[in-house]
Amino acid sequence: EAGVAQSPRYKIIEKRQSVAFWCNPISGHATLYWYQQILGQGPKLLIQFQNNGVVDDSQLPKDRFSAERLKGVDSTLKIQPAKLEDSAVYLCASSSTRTMTSEVGRVRTVIKQYFGPGTRLTVT
Amino acid sequence: GIQVEQSPPDLILQEGANSTLRCNFSDSVNNLQWFHQNPWGQLINLFYIPSGTKQNGRLSATTVATERYSLLYISSSQTTDSGVYFCAVDTYNQGGKLIFGQGTELSVKP
């Protein structure tokens, strides 16, 4: 099974320029996530798609960031214009969902996220 | 929102040593996961462990949901264990959105 693909792997741009990242999720995964990981921190969710609809974009800086998943498969994340503080690794993940029942009869939804290799962005 | 705190922030071990990493979370969770991020940035899931104990080779994890913490044990550490270990939680009705801790950076010396 192919994993989550991302491109480019590295990108260096000057501030105020624009940049776009691409993600191809695992085949059949309806949910796609974009995370931003600043050096020394854990990843932070930017936007979550279910098929081609947005589920959560509460932490996406909408004045400069945009994302789309037009056909419910591939996704692009764009930054325009970039700022120095946008330097980070941008991780794409996709997920499948299954329901498990524990020994005591408790139903739990297990959402397995699979991460791509990330795109390392440097803004100078 | 829920807070996830990991300790220690960094750890240096000699090859063959054992270690324990801790994750505290501030509210009840649907699931808790441990990830290893290798030096090339790839995040690999180690455990899904909302409660109880699981073992996979030299790694094991325990989550005590009632006390809101999880522990990751690494035994007989190897240089390939180096990297950053993240704890991440998802809460009920949040569609799988993961909240990550700040990570523990582990360096295993030969």
Side-chain angles (χ1 to χ4, degrees):
Chain A
E1 179 181 78
V4 177
Q6 290 188 247
S7 67
R9 292 294 314 276
Y10 306 92
K11 190 73 177 179
I12 301 174
I13 61 172
E14 295 181 352
K15 59 184 179 183
R16 291 187 291 275
Q17 287 186 323
S18 62
V19 64
F21 312 129
W22 174 81
C23 173
N24 181 233
I26 292 173
S27 178
H29 282 191
T31 309
L32 185 148
Y33 313 79
W34 283 101
Y35 291 85
Q36 180 193 56
Q37 185 177 16
I38 293 172
L39 186 64
Q41 299 181 17
K44 180 186 77 173
L45 181 73
L46 290 176
I47 189 167
Q48 176 182 342
F49 291 96
Q50 180 75 17
N51 296 308
N52 61 350
V54 175
V55 174
D56 185 344
D57 64 356
S58 57
Q59 298 196 80
L60 187 74
K62 297 180 187 63
D63 58 334
R64 298 182 302 105
F65 285 65
S66 64
E68 60 183 15
R69 195 183 182 200
L70 292 176
K71 297 182 179 179
V73 180
D74 295 4
S75 177
T76 55
L77 176 69
K78 296 179 182 177
I79 308 175
Q80 182 179 11
K83 293 185 175 181
L84 295 177
E85 59 261 36
D86 298 332
S87 294
V89 176
Y90 291 85
L91 295 162
C92 179
S94 67
S95 70
S96 62
T97 304
R98 64 187 179 102
T99 303
M100 295 174 55
T101 304
S102 70
E103 295 171 349
V104 295
R106 182 172 185 177
V107 177
R108 185 185 302 278
T109 300
V110 176
I111 302 175
K112 282 191 162 190
Q113 288 190 32
Y114 298 84
F115 284 81
T119 296
R120 185 177 298 276
L121 174 67
T122 302
V123 183
T124 62
Chain B
I2 190 168
Q3 303 296 314
V4 181
E5 296 181 355
Q6 292 185 241
S7 59
D10 39 67
L11 188 58
I12 300 174
L13 297 177
Q14 206 63 35
E15 197 169 28
N18 303 327
S19 63
T20 301
L21 282 56
R22 186 178 180 102
C23 172
N24 293 332
F25 44 98
S26 60
D27 204 349
S28 59
V29 299
N30 176 56
N31 211 337
L32 183 143
Q33 302 177 41
W34 283 98
F35 289 89
H36 175 224
Q37 188 168 43
N38 65 24
W40 296 271
Q42 182 72 54
L43 271 170
I44 304 295
N45 178 273
L46 299 174
F47 294 103
Y48 295 89
I49 186 162
S51 62
T53 297
K54 291 185 178 179
Q55 180 151 9
N56 184 1
R58 296 181 296 102
L59 302 182
S60 64
T62 296
T63 297
V64 183
T66 53
E67 297 187 22
R68 298 180 183 168
Y69 74 89
S70 182
L71 302 173
L72 178 69
Y73 306 96
I74 304 174
S75 63
S76 304
S77 59
Q78 300 176 359
T79 56
T80 51
D81 296 331
S82 296
V84 184
Y85 290 81
F86 287 102
C87 165
V89 301
D90 68 81
T91 56
Y92 297 96
N93 303 318
Q94 290 291 303
K97 170 183 175 179
L98 288 176
I99 309 297
F100 284 79
Q102 297 287 77
T104 292
E105 184 166 9
L106 174 66
S107 180
V108 181
K109 304 297 186 185

